[in-house]
Amino acid sequence: MSPTASPTVVMVPGLRDHVPDHWQTVLAARITDARTVPPLTSGRLSCGAQVTALNDVLSDISGPVVVVAHSAGVMTVAHWTRRHRRRIEGALLAAPPDFGTPLPEGYPTREALRENGWLPVPRAPLPFPSIVAAGIDDPLADFDRVADLARAWGSRLVNLGQVGHLNPASGYGEWPRAEELVRELR
């Protein structure tokens, strides 16, 4: 494959997996050769299982890769970098949750996250260019804590304003800015 080959875009969903009207699903349909980490049939809350699923997809790709992660998918990518080595051209890390503080009711507790390997959240610089895109009113993360995480990772932070958790519940099925940010990473 030539060094100018277009990167494969790998979608890394959060713990709620695949939602048909989610911006990641819409974006994947628009990008030629996009791949999505498949939903887990067991061990869905296991960080190790999520990291393995991501690594399986990445291991199947021989050329350049750009990763597009949302929510807990961002944390999957951060944990993956601690365990695996593979060249990544760049990553769009959208709406990372703050696993260091209690999440709203209906989401995993800190104890469940710890038991399943999500805590502590890796804070080492990521070994590839990355953009953390987050809103100021995300119910799963305080913007200042996300900004601190972006600094720790060496990521460029993009303040999206009032976008909630950047998911269909926040009004984001389609998110055109995602395409712009992915093009920037490619």
Side-chain angles (χ1 to χ4, degrees):
M1 182 167 280
S2 75
T4 59
S6 185
T8 299
V9 175
V10 174
M11 303 291 173
V12 187
L15 294 177
R16 305 243 171 167
D17 282 329
H18 304 81
V19 178
D21 56 345
H22 194 284
W23 65 265
Q24 276 184 309
T25 308
V26 172
L27 183 61
R30 289 187 179 158
I31 296 176
T32 306
D33 296 328
R35 301 207 190 155
T36 301
V37 175
L40 297 176
T41 55
S42 65
R44 190 168 158 184
L45 189 55
S46 166
C47 179
Q50 295 286 349
V51 167
T52 297
L54 170 58
N55 195 59
D56 289 348
V57 170
L58 292 172
S59 296
D60 240 10
I61 301 168
S62 61
V65 171
V66 168
V67 172
V68 177
H70 178 259
S71 192
V74 173
M75 299 307 170
T76 300
V77 172
H79 281 279
W80 177 87
T81 64
R82 291 178 52 199
R83 302 174 192 173
H84 300 281
R85 294 288 175 254
R86 185 208 198 283
R87 182 173 162 80
I88 302 291
E89 298 295 314
L92 172 57
L93 308 171
D98 179 6
F99 283 171
T101 59
L103 297 174
E105 190 173 322
Y107 289 89
T109 64
R110 287 189 69 209
E111 295 76 28
L113 292 169
R114 187 175 317 286
E115 289 169 6
N116 283 280
W118 294 100
L119 296 173
V121 170
R123 296 183 58 82
L126 299 176
F128 43 77
S130 57
I131 298 169
V132 170
I136 59 172
D137 60 343
D138 190 334
L140 301 184
D142 176 78
F143 186 78
D144 290 336
R145 289 185 56 97
V146 171
D148 183 54
L149 194 56
R151 276 190 296 279
W153 287 339
S155 304
R156 182 167 70 95
L157 178 64
V158 175
N159 180 339
L160 299 174
Q162 295 185 332
V163 297
H165 193 55
L166 198 62
N167 60 3
S170 300
Y172 286 88
E174 192 166 336
W175 179 40
R177 183 108 187 251
E179 289 181 73
E180 170 192 327
L181 295 170
V182 169
R183 273 193 305 274
E184 185 179 319
L185 290 163
R186 294 173 101 182

